[in-house]
Amino acid sequence: MHIVFLTSEYPKDGFPHGGVGTVVQTLAQELVKQNHLVSVIGLNYLQKDEEEVDNGVIIYRYKKSKINKMGWFYNNKILNKAILRLNQVKQIDVIESAELGFAFIKKIPSIKYLIRMHGGHHFFAESENRGVEPWKSFQERLSFRKADYIIGVSKYVMNHTAKYMDFEDKRGEAIYNPANLNRFYPADYNKEIKGRIFFAGSICEKKGIRQLIKAMPIIKKAVSDAHLIIAGRDTKIRGTQKSYLAYLKTEIPSEVKEDVFFLGSIENAQIPKEIEKAEVCAYPSHMEAMPLSWIEVLSMGKAFVASNLGPGPEAVKHGETGLLCNPLDLDDLAKQVIYMLQNRDKAHQMGQNAIKDIQERFSLDVLLKKNILMYEKLIKL
């Protein structure tokens, strides 16, 4: 098979990337190991065209257009030419993209178009209680019409997107994001620092970091040595150019100002080490599609507190592999973190259960087979 990922998020050294880029990289490299041809087409972080090979994955990055207001048109023109050129060199079987990816991509009859939902505009507009933007809504609907097959990274993201988009005749299954167990390893509990709570993720409202900080006085009252370590990059407050991190620092309760520490954006290789040092990892997102960061924590066997919203119950088995909380309820959030800090034997047992669960449901071996079968089925449609 020749699989093409249409994305500009594939990881590039020296530039930040999110979970979607990591998932694509992991899956692409494993497909290459199974003797499939894998290419990536996207726009570059730099103002130039580049071609590189990452463990057998061929990546084509193209210079973005800087034309004001019409950049989207010229960028898609660039991507369409790249797809056509690549298809002439080596016939493409499947092109995969996220929700908005195919809006202005021309259909080539011999190629199957696959959308893997990671959480699109309609999905997050609903979860964040904000209005749907007409332009993005138009793009997403147009993209869905062009797709031959649609899957999602969780049952939740598929079911909730279906409230806004009609794709029943193209609907496939939910295939979870795979855990890269080569980089994330079973944690050594002897390396835990007493009272340490760790959060990793973009510093923005929807990740629940403000609520976690607001819950710290309650946690601190119950566990005197509790302290919070925060790793992640700053973002802009929606609709402004103002720093969310600067705003967040003004929200830290005075009684815990000395107990909240910001590491900033750290190297991906450093994340497992920070997770390992924590007694509890708390990622109380308001909404996710299927967060890779949760799977990574669970794969290390760490005490984990996550959100009961969205796909939370799909990823975490409450009381068995971790604890779920209402991220908007400070008392409930604090209660779950306190339980993990005060009940270390039970916390570690949940961690061991989580390692087993991740291996059974989220391991690369299991999910690679599901993806290959899905691609083969799609090609035959």
Side-chain angles (χ1 to χ4, degrees), residues 171-237:
R171 182 170 181 152
E173 62 181 316
I175 301 180
Y176 296 142
N177 290 330
N180 187 343
L181 302 181
N182 293 324
R183 186 157 62 90
F184 289 86
Y185 48 85
D188 179 353
Y189 295 143
N190 292 318
K191 293 183 179 179
E192 292 180 343
I193 297 173
K194 194 165 176 55
R196 176 158 297 191
I197 304 160
F198 180 66
F199 167 93
S202 298
I203 309 301
C204 61
E205 184 69 15
K206 74 178 182 180
K207 292 296 184 180
I209 183 57
R210 184 172 65 85
Q211 284 78 18
L212 181 56
I213 286 175
K214 289 289 191 182
M216 280 300 293
I218 305 171
I219 298 169
K220 185 79 176 174
K221 188 175 180 180
V223 182
S224 61
D225 52 11
H227 57 285
L228 175 61
I229 306 295
I230 300 167
R233 61 181 177 84
D234 189 14
T235 62
K236 303 296 183 184
I237 296 173

Side-chain angles (χ1 to χ4, degrees), residues 208-221 226 228 230 246-262 330 333-334:
I209 183 57
R210 184 172 65 85
Q211 284 78 18
L212 181 56
I213 286 175
K214 289 289 191 182
M216 280 300 293
I218 305 171
I219 298 169
K220 185 79 176 174
K221 188 175 180 180
L228 175 61
I230 300 167
Y247 159 72
L248 185 63
K249 288 181 177 179
T250 69
E251 289 284 293
I252 302 174
S254 58
E255 62 266 45
V256 294
K257 279 193 179 293
E258 303 301 316
D259 302 296
V260 178
F261 306 89
F262 294 89
L330 298 188
L333 172 52

Side-chain angles (χ1 to χ4, degrees), residues 55 65 106 223 240 245 263 297 299 310 353 356-358 363:
N55 290 321
S65 169
K106 295 177 182 177
V223 182
T240 76
L245 177 59
L263 300 181
V297 171
S299 74
N353 294 343
K356 183 179 178 182
D357 184 53
I358 291 298
S363 74

Side-chain angles (χ1 to χ4, degrees), residues 58 80 107 125 142 179 203 213 215 246 363:
I58 306 169
N80 276 307
K107 285 280 281 182
L142 187 57
I203 309 301
I213 286 175
S363 74

Side-chain angles (χ1 to χ4, degrees), residues 148-351:
D148 296 298
Y149 201 60
I150 298 172
I151 64 171
V153 296
S154 67
K155 295 174 184 175
Y156 186 88
V157 73
M158 296 189 74
N159 291 339
H160 278 252
T161 302
K163 292 165 60 177
Y164 299 92
M165 313 289 287
D166 181 10
F167 60 92
E168 194 59 37
D169 59 331
K170 307 174 180 181
R171 182 170 181 152
E173 62 181 316
I175 301 180
Y176 296 142
N177 290 330
N180 187 343
L181 302 181
N182 293 324
R183 186 157 62 90
F184 289 86
Y185 48 85
D188 179 353
Y189 295 143
N190 292 318
K191 293 183 179 179
E192 292 180 343
I193 297 173
K194 194 165 176 55
R196 176 158 297 191
I197 304 160
F198 180 66
F199 167 93
S202 298
I203 309 301
C204 61
E205 184 69 15
K206 74 178 182 180
K207 292 296 184 180
I209 183 57
R210 184 172 65 85
Q211 284 78 18
L212 181 56
I213 286 175
K214 289 289 191 182
M216 280 300 293
I218 305 171
I219 298 169
K220 185 79 176 174
K221 188 175 180 180
V223 182
S224 61
D225 52 11
H227 57 285
L228 175 61
I229 306 295
I230 300 167
R233 61 181 177 84
D234 189 14
T235 62
K236 303 296 183 184
I237 296 173
R238 180 173 290 279
T240 76
Q241 289 301 307
K242 295 180 179 179
S243 162
Y244 185 84
L245 177 59
Y247 159 72
L248 185 63
K249 288 181 177 179
T250 69
E251 289 284 293
I252 302 174
S254 58
E255 62 266 45
V256 294
K257 279 193 179 293
E258 303 301 316
D259 302 296
V260 178
F261 306 89
F262 294 89
L263 300 181
S265 182
I266 63 176
E267 292 290 330
N268 287 333
Q270 184 65 24
I271 294 288
K273 297 175 184 177
E274 295 297 334
I275 290 173
E276 190 169 39
K277 289 188 285 187
E279 281 202 315
V280 182
C281 291
Y283 296 3
S285 303
H286 300 174
M287 184 54 63
E288 299 280 2
M290 177 52 78
L292 186 62
S293 59
W294 292 18
I295 298 166
E296 291 167 348
V297 171
L298 292 166
S299 74
M300 292 185 69
K302 296 300 296 184
F304 187 45
V305 175
S307 170
N308 64 8
L309 302 179
E314 278 185 78
V316 181
K317 298 177 181 178
H318 182 68
E320 183 179 340
T321 63
L323 296 177
L324 297 170
C325 70
N326 178 347
L328 304 178
D329 182 338
L330 298 188
D331 289 327
D332 187 36
L333 172 52
K335 176 184 174 182
Q336 308 307 328
V337 173
I338 290 167
Y339 181 90
M340 288 298 203
L341 290 171
Q342 292 183 333
N343 297 273
R344 300 309 298 153
D345 288 344
K346 290 182 179 179
H348 288 161
Q349 184 57 58
M350 281 189 244

